[in-house]
């Protein structure tokens, strides 16, 4: 089976052709980062307009790199939720038009399910190390941060164990980078600066979030506010002081992500841990998660970076599995801003 996947939920216009076995035949990602950079974050209307400009060329490129035409496809998968309504709409309309014109079945995919299954993608013929079910997955991106138990590849087999009560981890990186005048997106810059920093030297500026031992929920707004207060009091740090502050901030975020993911795996009696989302690129997170998993005999799976960040291949693959199960959606499939996965964490307030 060869399935085209289209992804336009946020600030990447992406399309890919993937087999139901997870082989990536093509994967085209066109980032809007430069377009949103002057604003320090994604502007929804700007995103939607750029998707409208880019979606047809990106889909054409994905088909041509895979060496197929629309007639060769077995179906069209598209992110239908969660995301920015206007941005999702562009991908949906393109997918519907193509599916209708080529007479192929259409399936909507929940973006979060795509991220959680991206570990199964095989790129460039390389044999991917694939986890068996069940596994515990940490999904940390600019828009989402949550821990899931994944018992199988469908919506009904995925359960949220805990999520952030406020900012997503990537959002915290982006906001702190903005405060420090480091540009957008913040994750990669902070990651680089943190490498040369000493977290202990700036520990007074960034208090460790006092996480309740039994909770699997996150809160990152306190760490961000602490950095904001520090900058308001002392101005933007430079040189070594900046690197130390980045190390302290990153350390606080990474510690919370690692502790709670490991706690979730142990509480569930699951031996496999998977990372997903753009923040999985963070070198501090990779190193500390690897060490924590090794100490507790947990097998850790970290997909290549291209599978962690937003891409069309994960949508095509999740869609291929839906199609293989005989599922399809009608041409009135509508965008939804929220995920279809049941949530256990309420945003705002309460204990952590
Ligand atoms: O998954 P993604 O590409 O898009 C979504 O948000 O869905 O994730 C982007 C996020 C941004 O917030 C970015 O700052 C963060 O991932 N990120 C990182 C790193 N690389 C990207 N955060 C920390 N360390 C990194 N190396
Ligand atoms: Zn994403």
């Amino acid at each position: 089976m060869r399935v085209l996947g289209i992804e336009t939920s946020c600030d990447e216009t992406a399309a890919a052709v993937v087999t139901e076995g997870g082989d990536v035949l093509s994967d085209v990602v066109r980032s809007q980062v430069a377009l949103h950079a002057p604003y320090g974050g994604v502007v929804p209307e700007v995103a939607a307009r750029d998707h409208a400009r880019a979606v047809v060329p990106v889909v054409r490129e994905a088909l041509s790199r895979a060496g197929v035409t629309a007639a060769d496809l077995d179906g069209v998968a598209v992110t239908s939720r969660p995301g920015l309504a206007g941005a999702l709409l562009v991908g949906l309309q393109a997918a519907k038009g193509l599916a209708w014109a080529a007479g192929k079945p259409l399936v909507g995919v929940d973006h979060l399910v795509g991220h959680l299954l991206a570990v199964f993608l095989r790129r460039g013929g390389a044999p991917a190390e694939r986890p068996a079910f069940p596994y515990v997955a940490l999904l940390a991106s600019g828009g989402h941060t949550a821990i899931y138990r994944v018992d199988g590849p469908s919506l009904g087999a995925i359960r949220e164990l805990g999520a952030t009560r406020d900012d997503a981890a990537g959002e915290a990186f982006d906001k702190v980078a903005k405060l420090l005048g480091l540009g957008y997106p913040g994750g990669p810059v902070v990651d680089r600066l943190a490498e040369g920093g000493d977290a202990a030297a700036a520990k007074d500026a960034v208090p460790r979030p006092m996480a309740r031992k039994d909770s699997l929920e996150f809160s990152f707004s306190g760490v961000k506010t602490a950095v904001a207060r520090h900058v308001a009091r002392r101005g933007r740090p430079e040189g070594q002081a900046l690197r130390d502050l980045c190390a302290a901030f990153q350390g606080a975020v990474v510690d919370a992500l690692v502790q709670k993911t490991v706690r979730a795996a142990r509480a569930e009696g699951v031996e496999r841990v998977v990372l997903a989302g753009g923040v999985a690129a963070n070198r501090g997170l990779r190193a500390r998660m690897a060490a924590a998993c090794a100490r507790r005999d947990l097998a850790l799976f970290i997909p290549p970076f291209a599978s962690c960040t937003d891409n069309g291949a994960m949508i095509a693959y999740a869609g291929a599995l839906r199609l293989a199960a005989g599922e399809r959606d009608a041409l009135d499939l509508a965008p939804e801003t929220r995920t279809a996965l049941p949530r256990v964490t309420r945003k705002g307030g309460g204990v952590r």
Side-chain angles (χ1 to χ4, degrees):
M1 207 189 259
R2 282 176 296 195
V3 176
L4 171 73
I6 300 177
E7 153 66 40
T8 63
S9 68
C10 189
D11 61 344
E12 268 94 22
T13 315
V17 179
V18 175
T19 68
E20 70 183 294
D23 288 307
V24 179
L25 305 182
S26 67
D27 185 23
V28 180
V29 180
R30 183 180 176 283
S31 169
Q32 298 180 350
V33 158
L35 210 56
H36 299 290
Y39 308 98
V42 178
V43 183
E45 186 56 32
V46 172
R49 285 174 195 220
D50 195 60
H51 285 310
R53 269 190 294 272
V55 72
V56 170
V58 165
V59 166
R60 278 217 180 97
E61 179 77 21
L63 292 174
S64 118
R65 282 197 208 166
V68 300
T69 64
D72 302 320
L73 297 172
D74 295 284
V76 180
V78 59
T79 306
S80 60
R81 64 195 303 171
L84 304 168
L88 288 167
L89 197 56
V90 175
L92 270 164
Q93 295 306 93
K96 288 177 190 178
L98 189 64
W100 180 78
K104 306 293 178 183
L106 173 80
V107 275
V109 169
D110 190 295
H111 181 84
L112 304 188
V113 175
H115 272 302
L116 294 173
L117 299 179
V119 65
F120 293 106
L121 293 173
R122 246 190 320 245
R123 292 174 180 276
E129 227 204 311
R130 294 169 154 190
F133 295 110
Y135 55 83
V136 159
L138 169 67
L139 169 54
S141 72
H144 311 277
T145 295
I147 302 172
Y148 298 89
R149 178 188 168 111
V150 183
D151 282 286
S154 62
L155 260 173
I158 301 175
R159 192 154 54 84
E160 183 193 293
L161 301 172
T164 181
R165 287 190 163 276
D166 39 59
D167 293 345
E171 190 180 359
F173 272 95
D174 295 338
K175 286 179 176 171
V176 161
K178 192 173 178 179
L179 283 167
L180 296 173
L182 300 175
Y184 172 85
V189 199
V190 173
D191 189 357
R192 218 176 316 116
L193 288 166
E195 204 164 44
D198 174 13
K203 68 175 188 315
D204 297 337
V206 187
R208 286 288 140 128
M210 286 296 296
R212 269 177 50 139
K213 277 247 168 328
D214 55 342
S215 156
L216 294 177
E217 298 180 349
F218 301 101
S219 170
F220 297 114
S221 68
V223 196
K224 174 198 65 192
T225 308
V227 174
R229 255 193 250 117
H230 183 77
V231 171
R233 241 185 289 127
R234 312 256 191 96
R236 283 176 180 168
E238 285 173 15
Q240 191 56 38
L242 173 63
R243 291 192 281 276
D244 293 344
L245 187 60
C246 286
F249 162 74
Q250 177 170 301
V253 172
V254 164
D255 268 5
L257 294 173
V258 171
Q259 273 176 24
K260 304 225 162 179
T261 303
V262 168
R263 187 178 302 155
R266 285 160 66 86
E268 292 293 318
V270 166
E271 294 151 8
R272 288 163 291 271
V273 172
V274 170
L275 296 191
V279 181
N282 187 269
R283 283 169 292 180
L285 175 63
R286 284 169 176 246
R288 279 201 228 171
M289 191 69 90
C293 285
R295 266 199 305 279
R296 292 170 181 87
D297 272 336
L298 298 167
L300 176 63
F301 298 83
I302 308 180
F305 187 54
S307 295
C308 288
T309 51
D310 284 352
N311 64 85
M314 67 186 193
I315 303 304
Y317 178 64
L321 297 186
R322 283 201 64 199
L323 286 166
E327 297 172 26
R328 341 202 136 335
D329 284 308
L331 289 176
D332 62 355
L333 179 65
E336 299 280 346
T337 55
R338 294 171 174 254
T339 177
L341 292 169
R343 290 192 294 194
V344 297
T345 300
R346 224 167 18 92
K347 277 223 163 185
V351 290
R352 196 164 67 233

